Amino acid sequence: MAPYTTHNYVVQGGPLAGPMSLPEGTRENASVLAAALTDPDVVGLAPEMCHVVQPEADDDFLHRFSREVPAGDGLIVFWTGGRCRASLSGKPQLALPQQEDGRDVWLDVQDLVEAMKGADSPDRLLVLDTCLTTDATVSDRQWIRDIGRLSKQGVALLTSVGSSPYAFAANNTTPSVFTQHLIRLLREVAEQPEPLDLRAVAKWLQRTSRNEGYRPPILCNSGSFSRPIIPGRNARGTSARGRLLPALRAMSSGALESCARYALAIAGAPMGGSLFAPAADAETLSRALIQTRCGFTQDTTSVLAQPPTRQRLFEAVREVSGRAENMALIYMVGHGTVRQSGRDLDLDLHLQDDETVRASELVTWLRSSSAQSAVLMLDVCGVRAVQRVMPMTGQVLAESRAGISRLLVEWTNISSQPLEAPVGRRRRLPPASTSQFMPTELPSSAEQEVRWTFDFADARITLIDEAGPLEHWANRLLSRPTAVDPLVHADELLSIAAESAASQPVSPPSNQQPDDEPPAIAPAPASAEPVPAPGLPCGRPPAGLRRRHRPRLRVPTGALPMRVGQRLDLTFDYQPQDPSRVPQPGDATDDHPLDLTLSIAAGTAEVTPSVIHTHLIDDRGSPPEQFRITPSSPDPVTLRIDVLRRADGAVIQSIERVLAVAGRDGSTT
């Protein structure tokens, strides 16, 4: 028997269908990773020592570990390419493939750990490569803490779990970020004569993740897996050599694309005195993208702080477009003029020396990119600004600003057809041409509507702010669903950037070992919209809450404006503002929580329930509380949440938010 005999189980997580279905590439995580592990030119595991598992709800795969792993052998379970969440009781859960009736099925991580402990093995390792669901109400910090507790039960745990799906799937067609990094490591050490232990693997993955702009994976309880995780060349068995199927050999040796994302922030020409500062906004956006830990780095994110000429702008966009494989993001902020010809609408953006560039030109230039995802963000102020424009800060990245129209144009450069080729081979859309923009004929029902000149079938065009030069056209723009939905939505990415800027993660000290207590990570849910405390800087709650918490109102992405007669499900909770805060005497705890009452009103709209009793704990905040609003008229709904201390009825905080409402026909007032 070969030394260091270890049984590897590679589990493909779910779901593979439904609204939470995985991107095409991450559905192949398990097969691609297993192919690399069994490739004779990479790790060279014997196929019988590497099992690919796609568990079903009634499958007994949890019992396989005790049946199939002989006493004394090692056990590694790679759970890869799936979603995770916290149950109502707070237990970490992993998604299984969806049932035929559309029902979601979840597995408690605790049950998986218990099953691994059933094997009579001195070395057990669980690798979790998953992401929290976009509607999850658990923070990264809480999730990692709960996972760390599980690892203390005799199982080493290496996890890449994070709340942002953008740090999980780099793009649509390749494996997830963590799995790509792991396969890259396997290839780099393929010829290494000495074995590689778990600590060394974790350090390499952490370093690579940081270098590419992603959150590093965390290793807990490394002492529970002391044998080599990757055997040296001299210690590997040779039984696998030549036995791998050609298709699997091709899959394991296929090119992995870069996980890096490229961004260019551009400042337009300042006009109208000092009422607007485009250069400062461009710098802020650039820094915020890097702080998201979603693939943007100092090396891939650049700024044109001085207004460029047309030629310089063209060269800069072309450079970003040519280098990016994953995502190319262009952000431009400055003064603009609306250009209308009949029903066609465009924007002239002002550059150096009275030159201009049209939004349609930027789209055309960016469409030459080889990146899978392309994003154009425009923050446009009128040429004659009549009031000072509030500068962009980390707290207002995802919010509207008076005097600014925000336009987002997004598309993906792969076709909407399912992949038939192995992972890594993409079906790309044909090159951009003027004939691919919107057809010349509009539907008869759109007589009063206008259209963008740069619209095309696969574009997702969103006008977020309606207070700048485009405010007069906001209700007349022709809208329709896109043929291909981008993996990364720019408005959600801005929300993550705002969350990252508002609450920076705590960096571990330089002497920290990879399996020390995991560092606290600031929460950054993709679909949540923060509600700042009225009248308070940076959204900080008043002193009455005593504990650095902030309120969060979670609005499903794309749910606004609401529609008359249709309910909108919302979630409210408090989350810790300072993850690194040292517990103090008198803190609210599980045994002695701070009891709260939420009194919810929404004008003429129906609210259910209108009174919610909840509690707050200092290190975790409050549990998520759900309620629904059903507007009865197209008038805007003013949502008000009064937070009262239940002991004496004192109002701790009042939060207001105005929500837009559309009529049943989609029109707004």
Side-chain angles (χ1 to χ4, degrees), residues 402-466:
I404 296 291
S405 290
R406 172 167 289 171
L407 185 65
L408 307 177
V409 188
E410 311 160 71
W411 64 92
T412 182
N413 286 324
I414 60 173
S415 74
S416 58
Q417 300 176 6
L419 288 182
E420 297 176 359
V423 167
R425 300 181 184 177
R426 297 194 234 160
R427 295 172 177 264
R428 291 197 176 276
L429 295 172
S433 66
T434 55
S435 63
Q436 288 181 282
F437 289 117
M438 277 290 290
T440 57
E441 297 297 329
L442 280 174
S444 58
S445 61
E447 291 184 3
Q448 302 302 319
E449 294 178 319
V450 293
R451 63 193 175 194
W452 298 112
T453 58
F454 46 81
D455 197 359
F456 58 97
D458 294 294
R460 181 182 188 261
I461 302 177
T462 308
L463 181 60
I464 292 183
D465 300 343
E466 303 173 358

Side-chain angles (χ1 to χ4, degrees), residues 558-639:
L560 296 179
M562 298 188 293
R563 293 186 178 274
V564 173
Q566 295 184 5
R567 79 180 193 190
L568 174 64
D569 294 322
L570 304 175
T571 303
F572 176 85
D573 67 341
Y574 278 106
Q575 290 196 352
Q577 181 84 355
D578 184 4
S580 63
R581 177 181 177 275
V582 177
Q584 302 292 325
D587 278 359
T589 63
D590 289 314
D591 296 330
H592 301 284
L594 177 63
D595 292 325
L596 302 174
T597 297
L598 308 179
S599 177
I600 308 171
T604 58
E606 178 185 353
V607 178
T608 306
S610 59
V611 176
I612 298 175
H613 297 296
T614 185
H615 61 272
L616 181 141
I617 297 171
D618 276 274
D619 66 342
R620 295 204 303 272
S622 67
E625 303 292 349
Q626 295 184 340
F627 62 96
R628 63 177 61 112
I629 299 177
T630 307
S632 57
S633 74
D635 297 329
V637 170
T638 300
L639 173 65

Side-chain angles (χ1 to χ4, degrees), residues 55 109 119 154 187 190 253 318 358 372 418 471 488 498 504 528 621 632:
V109 180
R187 294 179 181 175
S253 59
R318 183 175 59 180
R358 292 188 183 181
Q372 280 208 22
E471 62 180 332
V488 178
Q504 282 299 298
S632 57

Side-chain angles (χ1 to χ4, degrees), residues 310-490:
R310 278 181 56 88
Q311 182 61 31
R312 176 70 184 98
L313 177 60
F314 171 74
E315 292 172 352
V317 174
R318 183 175 59 180
E319 180 180 2
V320 170
S321 299
R323 296 178 65 188
E325 295 180 8
N326 181 351
M327 174 188 285
L329 186 153
I330 304 297
Y331 170 74
M332 184 167 183
V333 54
H335 294 273
T337 305
V338 180
R339 178 183 291 271
Q340 185 175 14
S341 177
R343 294 176 183 168
D344 295 333
L345 208 65
D346 209 334
L347 276 170
D348 280 343
L349 305 167
H350 294 265
L351 305 173
Q352 188 183 119
D353 300 331
D354 295 325
E355 289 188 315
T356 62
V357 62
R358 292 188 183 181
S360 56
E361 292 179 295
L362 289 173
V363 172
T364 300
W365 296 348
L366 191 53
R367 290 194 72 190
S368 66
S369 173
S370 60
Q372 280 208 22
S373 298
V375 178
L376 175 64
M377 297 183 182
L378 301 176
D379 277 354
V380 186
C381 178
V383 173
R384 296 178 178 86
V386 296
Q387 60 181 348
R388 181 175 178 81
V389 176
M390 180 176 64
M392 179 186 290
T393 64
Q395 287 71 33
V396 300
L397 274 166
E399 300 176 7
S400 59
R401 292 187 290 165
I404 296 291
S405 290
R406 172 167 289 171
L407 185 65
L408 307 177
V409 188
E410 311 160 71
W411 64 92
T412 182
N413 286 324
I414 60 173
S415 74
S416 58
Q417 300 176 6
L419 288 182
E420 297 176 359
V423 167
R425 300 181 184 177
R426 297 194 234 160
R427 295 172 177 264
R428 291 197 176 276
L429 295 172
S433 66
T434 55
S435 63
Q436 288 181 282
F437 289 117
M438 277 290 290
T440 57
E441 297 297 329
L442 280 174
S444 58
S445 61
E447 291 184 3
Q448 302 302 319
E449 294 178 319
V450 293
R451 63 193 175 194
W452 298 112
T453 58
F454 46 81
D455 197 359
F456 58 97
D458 294 294
R460 181 182 188 261
I461 302 177
T462 308
L463 181 60
I464 292 183
D465 300 343
E466 303 173 358
L470 285 168
E471 62 180 332
H472 299 297
W473 285 269
N475 294 331
R476 298 169 53 200
L477 286 168
L478 181 66
S479 61
R480 54 163 176 75
T482 61
V484 178
D485 195 35
L487 176 65
V488 178
H489 289 174

